[in-house]
Amino acid sequence: MRRIPELDGLRGLAALAVVLFHLYLGVFPFGRAAVDLFFVLSGFLITGIVIDHIDEPRFLRRFYARRSLRIWPIYYLSLVLLLAAGFVSWRMWLPFALYLQNTGYYLMPLESLRGAIFAPDWPLMNHTWSLAVEEQFYLIWPGLILLTGRRRVGVLAVACLAGSVAARLAGYPHSMLITRCDGLALGALLAAVLHRPEIVSDAARRAAVRPWLWAAGALIAMLGLRLAWEMRTGRVRIPLDFRLDDAPAEVLCVSLISFVIVAWTTVETGHRRLAPLRWKPLRDLGTISYGVYLYHALVLHAVQSLLPHATPGYQALEGLLTLVGSLVVAAISWRFVERPILKLKDRFDYRTAPSEPSRPVAASFPLAVAGD
């Protein structure tokens, strides 16, 4: 399958945006939107893999083995080291180890039960709610496609999108799979559009995506007008106290914008207008973006513990050390942990027959979210 190098560049930008958001919330409030860009990328990649290989023998076993090799090693390495260092109790650690740190919100009406079971507050790992969303998506989505068939993936994606919006309007928090799968569903929809047997040329890909880009643009304009009205009436203030939890429709707007970016980048791959996304340092950042996302909160904690608060220019120095430290730790992790383990994926190759003609798919590295 042919890679789309520009999508690695997008991952690099998204990882940088998330780190800057956590470092400078008041200055860079929209950085959290990068998580939804990661979701669109993951929905596109994972759905494309399922559509292309679902008929291969033992597909599910190979799919979950490859997912585990990509996501689990450094995630569990981080959890085990933090547990061993005494940063967390077993009671709090277990929901994170099972990717259940966000599932307590499903028990929202049973507040006392939710608080007693799955409502852990662990600043060092709270950002991994997005990894829990993705892991739950990986667990459920291939089975849904098996049940409905690859021809109904588009319908299934639209249904999931509508259900996500409805769950947010019902008041559920935005860190659950059912309330934050807009981007995953839109990425799946893009894969359903492009992974059709008749879509074999660049012109066909552009023609297939164009109506969806127009539809997304129209919805973005409508939601933008609604947001402008809410700002005018004082219901939402941007950027000083921008919170997606206070504006349910804005999650959809951000996801639609991410969909447009990913779709346009995919069908225009190789064009000179996208040359900045093919810049090697940016693509390298995309390669280690999963580690950057996972480790940056840990590096920030270390910097805050070691750097005296009375240091001149403390905030700027804290941000610089955290950013550089996150990149260094992620690069070391990729070189000595992730890349060697990923070589094991060859044992779980999807194809048992000669390769078919290649078609463009997302790049094979993660965010937060993860690649093939």
Side-chain angles (χ1 to χ4, degrees), residues 7-182:
L7 296 185
D8 279 332
L10 282 181
R11 280 198 181 88
L13 290 176
L16 183 62
V18 170
V19 175
L20 292 176
F21 164 72
H22 286 143
L23 290 174
Y24 307 111
L25 174 59
V27 179
F28 205 72
F30 291 103
R32 69 187 302 167
V35 171
D36 298 283
L37 177 59
F38 277 132
F39 285 160
V40 173
L41 287 167
S42 290
F44 174 51
L45 172 61
I46 295 304
T47 306
I49 291 172
V50 176
I51 291 174
D52 285 346
H53 301 294
I54 199 170
D55 294 329
E56 299 287 344
R58 298 182 294 279
F59 165 73
L60 286 179
R61 182 176 71 87
R62 296 173 182 181
F63 174 83
Y64 290 123
R66 293 170 71 89
R67 291 291 84 215
S68 300
L69 289 170
R70 185 61 194 102
I71 302 298
W72 287 3
I74 63 172
Y75 180 76
Y76 285 113
L77 175 63
S78 301
L79 287 180
V80 169
L81 290 177
L82 290 171
L83 180 65
F87 281 100
V88 65
S89 66
W90 276 98
R91 177 180 175 274
M92 184 182 295
W93 184 86
L94 190 58
F96 286 87
L98 298 176
Y99 289 99
L100 297 176
Q101 57 263 51
N102 62 346
T103 54
Y105 296 116
Y106 290 99
L107 302 174
M108 192 171 63
L110 306 174
E111 188 67 28
S112 60
L113 180 61
R114 180 176 69 85
I117 303 179
F118 296 129
D121 182 18
W122 188 9
L124 288 176
M125 295 296 283
N126 277 346
H127 63 295
T128 62
W129 68 268
S130 62
L131 299 182
V133 167
E134 291 224 11
E135 282 293 292
Q136 293 157 20
F137 172 73
Y138 299 155
L139 181 64
I140 297 170
W141 190 245
L144 288 177
I145 296 177
L146 276 171
L147 288 173
T148 60
R150 57 160 61 94
R151 293 186 178 181
R152 296 182 178 87
V153 170
V155 175
L156 185 61
V158 172
C160 290
L161 179 64
S164 181
V165 174
R168 287 198 303 275
L169 292 175
Y172 281 89
H174 297 182
S175 56
M176 306 158 59
L177 177 60
I178 64 166
T179 56
R180 203 56 177 270
C181 66
D182 305 50

Side-chain angles (χ1 to χ4, degrees), residues 203-239:
R205 281 186 283 273
R206 295 189 187 96
V209 167
R210 190 175 297 117
W212 296 99
L213 291 178
W214 280 109
L219 282 172
I220 291 169
M222 292 171 58
L223 293 170
L225 290 173
R226 178 182 177 275
L227 177 59
W229 174 256
E230 290 182 342
M231 292 174 60
R232 181 181 177 85
T233 57
R235 292 179 59 190
V236 174
R237 296 177 59 194
I238 295 180

